[in-house]
Amino acid sequence: MRYYSTNKKSNPENLKYAVTKGLASDGGLFMPERIDGFEPKFFKNIHRLSFQEIAFEVAKKFFGDDVEEKALNELVYDALNFDCPVVPVQKNIFSLELFHGPTLAFKDVGARFMARLLSYFLEKSDEMVNVLVATSGDTGSAVANGFLGVPGIHVYVLYPKGKVSKIQESQFTTLGKNITALEVDGTFDDCQRLVKSAFSEKSLNEKLTLTSANSINVARFLPQAFYYFNAYARNGHKDKELVISVPSGNFGNLTAGLFAKRMGLPVSQFIAANNENDIVYNYLKTARYEPRSSVQTIANAMDVGDPSNFARILDLYANSHSAIAADIKGYRYSDEQIKETIKRVYDQCSYLLDPHGACGYQSLEAYLNDKQVGIFLETAHPAKFTETVEAVVGAGNVPLPDKLAEFMKGEKKSIEIDSAFDSFKSFLLSQ
Ligand SMILES: *Cc1c(COP(=O)(O)O)cnc(C)c1O
């Protein structure tokens, strides 16, 4: 399979290139040149398959041309060593829990898959790949843990000193092995600028192979389609139309759902649930895409002012606003509304939402009619946002899962750097 650039100013490339480079040479995002669908009978029997079996069938459609079947099977089972269950919250609303992986957020799925796919391509060479990732908290932990101990790869996590929570910091500073945490004296934007400059600096790229591991990478983005198929399989109300709501920031997660629909998955409607960063919400209403600086909210993994995967959505729908607005409905919520929902659902349904999932849940309450059933993506465990959630439901009501407690016990190791590009560059070259 070849992958073309959304900017269409560079030549299509193979999967290995797309995964190791991340971005196309014209700065666009890679898209697969074909989206192979399933026959309707696949969906009749899908409930008999496990999550991992479903994921393997979907993975073959994306990566079957480029990865031998046996290796792909091992890769899927090794990456997905946890489940993504569908759990009832209200009579017609269900939670697709994506937080049962090592760092308790949905990014584990894509990060673990990408690490293994990259390693598969590297096995045949003795190349060493350096993954650079700037994080405001969650991405760094998923990527660091996904790539931990994977041969041929070294990960550098850049994070703003003093600006991530202790829980988040412990998830990428205590690992050791092939993970180096760089504590940058600056902001998240400084971290992102250092990483971007590194990718475009010629002399550095002549000496080192550098790649990114955010959702612009096809190997992180496409595997997110797996759990949409699992949501459909586990849904016990197949007589009703299925509505899926996705708490969205950079829109990688939702775009993977749109791919699943294109492959035949019977979803009648997608919802993009935003916080106050409502750029796509406005686009859906007005057909004008007006990116702007992000504002800080309590659903901070969705604080994005110019969603990187929006280019993929435009490409998938050939720039048709009406086609996009037909498949995706938009909702947006303030911090106050998010808190109110967390409290209400905790009191009435005994279900603990995290601030991101709360946006997804709330939009289903607003949208659903009697002929529909809704599933929202619960993108992280509420304990990742303990302070926010406990302020709403009361201290001591958000138990810390064992996996998070383990991270907190580890010893922090990080290297402090200033935010000047030259310091970062000489650091990389000295490694
Ligand atoms: C990253 C993240 C999101 C946003 O996902 P996108 O794919 O960027 O839209 C939502 N919730 C949580 C908890 C996240 O970590």
Side-chain angles (χ1 to χ4, degrees), residues 104-107 138-139 215 220 224 227 246-255 274 299-304 307-309 354-357 377-381 384-385:
L104 291 86
F106 82 91
K107 292 185 176 76
D138 264 4
T139 305
S215 59
R220 231 200 84 185
Q224 298 176 158
Y227 45 71
V246 187
S248 295
N250 263 321
F251 278 76
N253 209 356
L254 178 64
T255 309
N274 280 153
N300 59 11
M302 295 166 18
D303 294 349
V304 179
S308 50
N309 284 285
D354 94 291
H356 308 78
L377 274 51
E378 181 45 303
T379 47
H381 191 285
K384 295 198 85 170
F385 308 93

